[in-house]
Amino acid sequence: MDAQSIRSASALAHEAAAGRPHAMPANGRPRRFRVAVGDPQAPLEQFFAVLAHAGLLKSSGRLRDDVLLVSIGDHFDWGDRTERVKATRDGLAILAWLALHPADQVWITAGNHDLARVGEHAAVDDATFQALRAEADLAYVDGRVDRALEQAFLAKAPRYPSVEVASRDLSTFSVAQREWVSHLLRARRFRLAHAAAPHLLLTHAGVTLDELSQVGLPPACANDAPELARALNLALDTAWTLRREGETFNIPGLHRAGSAVAREGGGMLYHRVMRSGGVLGDQGGTPPRRRFPPARLPQGLTQVIGHVRDKKSHELLGLPAGNARDGVLRALTVT
C-alpha cells in the first residue's frame, strides 16, 4: 500500500473541502479500468487506503488517469457520538475530493444521506442543528427512545422523523455539506443513476417497475439502462430546478424525505427488499415506499447498488447468511 498517496489524497481532500464548492467538467480521456465503491461512509484515511490498496491512486493523491471511479452514494454519517467531529469533516472532504476529478472520471451517485442535506436538514444552521441534536441525544440512549422527550423534540423540529434520525442516522450535518450538495445538484454531478452498459445500471439502492411507471417509461424499457438512467436523472434535475430555497427537497414519485408527519423517508434511495412473507400494503401502499418484493425488480436488468450490505440482503430474503460476502462485486438473481 502506498502511504504517500494516502497522505497526499487526504491533504488534497481537506484542501478542496475548505475551498468553494466546485465540479470539474469532463475531459474526454479514455478510462481502461472501472471501479465502483459503495457508500463511502468511513474515515477519510480508510477510504483512501482502500483505493491505494487497489492501486488506483497517483502519488499526487488523485486517481490514476486511466481509472473511472463510481461512488454509489451516501458520503456522510458514520461512527458513534465520539467521532462526530471527524465524521462531519471527513464526509465533506471525501465528496470534495471526488468532485475534483472530471465528470467522466468520477461518477457521483446520490444516496439518501446525501439528499438529507437538502431534505431533513434543508433549513437548519450549524448552531441550531447541534442544539437539536443534543436534545435528541437525551431522548435516544442506547437504542431506547423516551417518547415524551421525542414528542417535545418533534414539535420543535418537525422536519425530522424521529430523535433516532437526528441522534444517529443523520447526526453529522454541517451547512458546508449542504452547500456542496446543492452545488453538485446544480452542476448535475449528483446523479440518481448511471448506465455502465446497455443492461447494467448503477444506483444507490435500486429501482423497481414502480420507478419506471413514475418516470413514464413503458415496460419495454425495463432493461434499457441508458434510457432508464436518462429518465431518472431528468426527474432529479427537474425537481431540483423547481425547488425553492429552504424547502425540503423531494423527487415526486421517486424520493421522499422524512418528517414528523411522514415519518421515515422513502423511495428508490431507501429501497430494501421486503422480508420473506411481507405484505406490500404494509410498506406504504403507493410509491415512494421503503420496501419492495423481488418480483418488482425489472427483468433483464443488472443493478449495482450500495445501501444494503450483502448479509442484510440475505437475511431479508430468507437466504443462508453464510453465502454473504462484502468487498466484492455481487449479483442477485431472482425468478
Side-chain angles (χ1 to χ4, degrees):
M1 190 180 302
D2 186 353
Q4 176 58 47
S5 66
I6 296 172
R7 288 193 297 269
S8 296
S10 298
L12 187 63
H14 284 306
E15 180 182 353
R20 294 174 59 85
H22 53 257
M24 294 295 293
N27 64 12
R29 292 183 179 178
R31 318 291 178 192
R32 294 178 56 203
F33 303 100
R34 294 186 174 193
V35 181
V37 56
D39 295 37
Q41 296 168 302
L44 188 71
E45 299 81 10
Q46 181 177 338
F47 175 72
F48 288 129
V50 170
L51 299 185
H53 181 73
L56 305 180
L57 296 180
K58 298 191 291 188
S59 59
S60 65
R62 292 177 178 266
L63 284 172
R64 283 175 19 208
D65 293 336
D66 58 353
V67 171
L68 166 65
L69 180 67
V70 187
S71 176
I72 307 294
D74 277 0
H75 302 84
F76 307 109
D77 303 317
W78 55 266
D80 60 29
R81 295 182 182 185
T82 66
E83 299 173 293
R84 282 174 173 168
V85 172
K86 179 173 174 55
T88 301
R89 182 181 68 246
D90 284 6
L92 180 59
I94 288 174
L95 185 61
W97 180 85
L98 293 170
L100 274 177
H101 295 80
D104 55 352
Q105 183 175 24
V106 172
W107 296 352
I108 309 175
T109 311
N112 53 302
H113 287 262
D114 302 315
L115 293 194
R117 270 56 200 168
V118 291
E120 290 87 341
H121 296 310
V124 67
D125 59 31
D126 289 336
T128 301
F129 173 69
Q130 290 167 18
L132 289 173
R133 185 179 62 192
E135 290 189 35
D137 287 346
L138 295 175
Y140 182 74
V141 180
D142 296 330
R144 294 187 297 272
V145 177
D146 183 312
R147 296 302 176 186
L149 290 178
E150 181 173 55
Q151 289 306 309
F153 172 86
L154 294 178
K156 182 183 296 186
R159 294 198 188 212
Y160 296 98
S162 66
V163 290
E164 180 181 358
V165 164
S167 177
R168 189 188 69 165
D169 297 337
L170 303 178
S171 64
T172 62
F173 165 75
S174 71
V175 169
Q177 294 172 355
R178 185 172 64 218
E179 292 173 348
W180 274 82
V181 169
S182 297
H183 179 80
L184 294 178
L185 284 166
R186 286 194 300 271
R188 301 189 177 183
R189 283 296 300 271
F190 260 131
R191 302 283 79 189
L192 285 183
H194 296 277
H199 308 299
L200 179 61
L201 191 73
L202 298 99
T203 68
H204 178 61
V207 301
T208 69
L209 295 174
D210 296 316
E211 281 69 51
L212 253 73
S213 175
Q214 291 297 320
V215 296
L217 290 180
C221 293
N223 67 352
D224 187 337
E227 181 62 16
L228 188 50
R230 183 202 64 77
L232 291 170
N233 292 328
L234 177 61
L236 169 67
D237 296 336
T238 300
W240 182 254
T241 300
L242 296 175
R243 172 185 176 265
R244 295 179 180 177
E245 189 68 27
E247 284 185 345
T248 298
F249 182 53
N250 296 296
I251 309 172
L254 298 178
H255 170 73
R256 171 179 52 78
S259 71
V261 174
R263 304 305 288 176
E264 292 184 293
M268 62 173 287
L269 302 184
Y270 285 94
H271 269 170
R272 290 183 180 180
V273 68
M274 288 172 54
R275 289 188 182 276
S276 180
V279 179
L280 186 58
D282 296 337
Q283 310 305 321
T286 58
R289 56 173 69 93
R290 292 175 63 88
R291 304 287 187 267
F292 65 90
R296 297 300 292 168
L297 291 170
Q299 295 186 21
L301 180 71
T302 298
Q303 300 188 56
V304 178
I305 67 168
H307 190 61
V308 186
R309 292 183 63 175
D310 206 31
K311 181 180 179 182
K312 182 68 172 180
S313 295
H314 277 71
E315 292 173 353
L316 292 170
L317 288 163
L319 300 174
N323 294 330
R325 296 183 66 195
D326 283 332
V328 296
L329 188 64
R330 304 179 299 278
L332 172 67
T333 302
V334 298
T335 59

